[in-house]
Each structure stands twice: as C-alpha cells, then as structure tokens.
Amino acid sequence: MGIDRVGVVGAGQMGNGIAHVLALAGYEVLLNDISDDALKAATKVIEKNLDRQVSREKISEGDKAAALERIGTTLTLTDLGQTDLVIEAATERETVKQAIFEDLLPHLKPETILTSNTSSISITRLASRTDRPEKFMGFHFMNPVPVMQLVELIRGIATDQPTFEACLGVVDRLGKTAATAEDFPAFIVNRILMPMINEAIYTLYEGVGSVKSIDMAMKLGANHPMGPLELADFIGLDTCLAIMNVLHDGLADTKYRPCPLLTKYVEAGWLGRKSQRGFYDYRQDPPVPTR
C-alpha cells in the first residue's frame, strides 16, 4: 500500500502537530477543520514550530519551506476522499468521530486506510461503523507531536496485516518509534498515565497536599519532568475526564472512577492551559495554583 497523500481531520493541537511531522517527512498533507479560524491558526502554529526547529538547527530553512508547501487546508471534509491515508484527530467524543467517518465513506478510494488518533475509544467499535474495518487502525500520536517520539499503533479485531505494515511504514518514515497496543480501553500510555493523574487529583481533593506540593513531590521525588497536575492542564482536563470515563465504563473497575474534583473543574470550564485556568491560573505569569 503506497502512501503519498495524507488527510488529517481536525486542526487543533494534535491535528496541526500531525500535519507538521507528516509534511516534514515528505508527505502531501490536506488538513481539514470545520472552522476557517482554526485552519489559519494551525498554519501559524506549524510555521512557528518549524521556525523553532530551524533555530535549533534540527532542520534547514529549505526543509521548512518545503514542508509548508506540502500542507493544504480545506473546510470540506469530502476533499480528503482522494488521499491514501486519513488520520482523524477530532475531539475525543465517539459520536463526533463516527459522524466524520460516515460522511467520508462515500468519497473514499477503495484502498484508502482510515485511522483515528483517539487516545482511548475502541478501535474495533469505530471500525465496525465503516465499510472497511480491515483497513482501519488506531494511530495515536503523543503530545506535542513534533517532540514526542512514540506512536501507539492499535489494531481492531478486523485490521489486516497489510494495513498494519503500511501504518508502521509511516511511523518509520516520520523517524518515530511504534508501540503496538491491543484494543483495550486507553491502550498502553493512557491506561497507565491517566490513573496516575486521577490519583494526583484525589490527593489534592482529600487534602493530602496542595497543587504546588503534589507537583513538586513528583518532579523531585520521582524525577518526572512535569508534575501530574501541570501535565493534566497541558493535556486538557476535559480530555483527562473523557479518558477516565472510558476506562471506568470499559473495564468496570472502581479504581478508574474519575475524581469528583476533576469533574467539577470540567463543569466550571476550567480545562487547563487552553481555557487559561485549570489546576493553575495561566492568566498570570508565572501561573499560580488555583487551590
């Protein structure tokens, strides 16, 4: 399966990062979003991140110019129909993802591979709603995409070997490393990471430590580069809650019950960095804890 043109659905934090690394690796990329403002913002972010790589001498000015030339944008989802691979990177809601694939299906080439960047939702279930479950995979990048080296590849129950090998070839061409995960809730990274973050929130909720002391304890006591509450803000508290709900619902184990404080922050619209408030208030410099 030759892959030259890749469609990316969603121009947010993950989508623009995926478009960035694909274009830098030589793929023709078509980036789609329902918002023109989101597409314009994504283009600016990609250019800014490429400039950072140039300044650090990781790429040349020529590499940057060529990568930007390879990225096209569109508000029309069906324009992605003629690509060889589609990577869906929309919001982490199953109904949204299903609707995207349903709209795309009538316009796809027979050989086009469909993938989702979902961090937790069943690949088998998403694939079953399409006309090509054997050509459907989980393609889970880590955030920030240009920096993080890992990609989780998740096969659904029907995914065939040529599809897996084609996606593995893309990961290799990107210069990243693939970890193969089975199709269980949250896969590998988030199955381990999210309960740790949730436990850190419980530690705050129960008054064991403050935001500052919890994050400092894990940075200095466990040598983590970022504290768990700071990391939750970076990921997005709504995303953390969605993944914990998938784990709780999918595995039916009370150890995955989302902390009520996490739910409360999301209900308040305090989603972390992207909303300027979460466990830290980012309207101040430096950010200050909100509890």
Side-chain angles (χ1 to χ4, degrees):
M1 294 181 183
I3 295 175
D4 299 307
R5 301 188 70 220
V6 183
V8 179
V9 183
Q13 193 174 36
M14 296 303 296
N16 73 56
I18 293 167
H20 171 147
V21 297
L22 287 166
L24 205 53
Y27 292 102
E28 295 293 326
V29 181
L30 189 55
L31 180 60
N32 162 260
D33 201 281
I34 57 174
S35 163
D36 189 47
D37 287 344
L39 289 172
K40 288 174 181 173
T43 303
K44 287 179 182 175
V45 169
I46 291 168
E47 187 163 6
K48 178 183 172 184
N49 288 337
L50 287 166
D51 281 335
R52 185 179 292 117
Q53 288 178 303
V54 170
S55 69
R56 294 176 180 173
E57 299 183 348
K58 293 185 179 295
I59 64 171
S60 68
E61 280 285 355
D63 294 332
K64 172 196 159 186
L68 289 172
E69 188 71 24
R70 293 187 192 104
I71 299 173
T73 61
T74 181
L75 291 166
T76 307
L77 178 65
T78 54
D79 288 348
L80 275 58
Q82 294 307 300
T83 58
D84 307 310
L85 168 68
V86 173
I87 302 175
E88 171 274 314
T91 189
E92 190 70 356
R93 289 207 302 273
E94 188 165 349
T95 52
V96 172
K97 295 177 186 297
Q98 286 174 346
I100 287 167
F101 291 125
E102 285 170 11
D103 288 346
L104 261 177
L105 288 177
H107 306 276
L108 294 175
K109 298 187 296 182
E111 64 272 19
T112 299
I113 295 172
L114 290 177
T115 67
S116 176
N117 184 58
T118 178
S119 50
S120 60
I121 297 167
S122 167
I123 298 303
T124 297
R125 197 164 60 239
L126 286 174
S128 72
R129 299 288 292 269
T130 74
D131 63 355
R132 59 195 70 205
E134 72 286 350
K135 293 187 184 299
F136 195 107
M137 276 199 71
F139 209 135
H140 182 216
F141 288 83
M142 306 296 125
N143 185 29
V145 179
V147 175
M148 301 295 280
Q149 290 301 301
L150 186 76
V151 178
E152 284 182 316
L153 290 180
I154 307 101
R155 298 189 205 218
I157 196 169
T159 307
D160 64 24
Q161 188 64 21
T163 298
F164 172 77
E165 289 175 0
C167 291
L168 184 60
V170 173
V171 176
D172 288 343
R173 183 165 158 183
L174 295 178
K176 296 188 183 294
T177 300
T180 305
E182 293 300 316
D183 186 23
F184 287 97
F187 319 130
I188 296 172
V189 172
N190 283 318
R191 172 77 177 262
I192 297 167
L193 176 64
M194 285 303 160
M196 184 198 77
I197 287 174
N198 195 51
E199 193 62 28
I201 300 169
Y202 266 115
T203 305
L204 177 66
Y205 178 61
E206 293 168 4
V208 178
S210 65
V211 168
K212 183 178 178 182
S213 61
I214 292 165
D215 277 350
M216 189 187 345
M218 293 309 291
K219 283 194 281 190
L220 300 183
N223 205 28
H224 290 190
M226 190 182 290
L229 300 175
E230 184 185 1
L231 179 57
D233 276 355
F234 181 76
I235 293 167
L237 302 192
D238 52 340
T239 300
C240 294
L241 179 59
I243 295 169
M244 287 309 302
N245 280 327
V246 166
L247 280 165
H248 191 230
D249 295 345
L251 297 171
D253 192 325
T254 55
K255 74 180 180 181
Y256 298 115
R257 182 172 70 99
C259 179
L261 184 61
L262 173 59
T263 303
K264 190 177 291 292
Y265 268 63
V266 173
E267 287 174 344
W270 291 19
L271 308 181
R273 285 179 180 265
K274 62 187 173 186
S275 67
Q276 293 296 294
R277 277 191 293 187
F279 292 110
Y280 293 85
D281 187 337
Y282 298 92
R283 297 170 302 176
Q284 303 181 50
D285 189 18
V288 295
T290 54
R291 287 179 80 86

